[in-house]
Amino acid sequence: MVDAFTHEALAIDVDQAIRGKQVASAVTRSASVRGGPKAIRFDNVPEFISNVLDRWAYENGLTRCLAG
């Protein structure tokens, strides 16, 4: 996970397949330290489209920006 403004790596999670729940968890961990994002942009769209991530974004007041 990279901050698009500062280009700082906020999280690096490695797995054979990353799911929406794992993305939400990584953003939550980062937000607890640095504050939450106002929007999220994904470069690998098919891998991250999920109801879990949509619900998490809605509950946290985020705009989900998809790029692909």
Side-chain angles (χ1 to χ4, degrees):
M1 180 170 52
V2 176
D3 182 323
F5 182 73
T6 64
H7 303 286
E8 182 179 1
L10 303 177
I12 299 173
D13 288 15
V14 179
D15 203 337
Q16 291 182 355
I18 303 291
R19 292 177 168 59
K21 185 175 182 179
Q22 292 167 287
V23 174
S25 176
V27 177
T28 299
R29 286 192 315 268
S30 176
S32 70
V33 175
R34 302 178 50 95
K38 294 181 182 176
I40 299 175
R41 183 182 59 161
F42 300 102
D43 291 332
N44 298 321
V45 177
E47 288 84 351
F48 298 125
I49 293 175
S50 75
N51 291 333
V52 172
L53 194 53
D54 280 337
R55 185 178 64 237
W56 183 90
Y58 175 78
E59 290 171 354
N60 288 279
L62 297 175
T63 301
R64 212 175 144 200
C65 303
L66 300 176

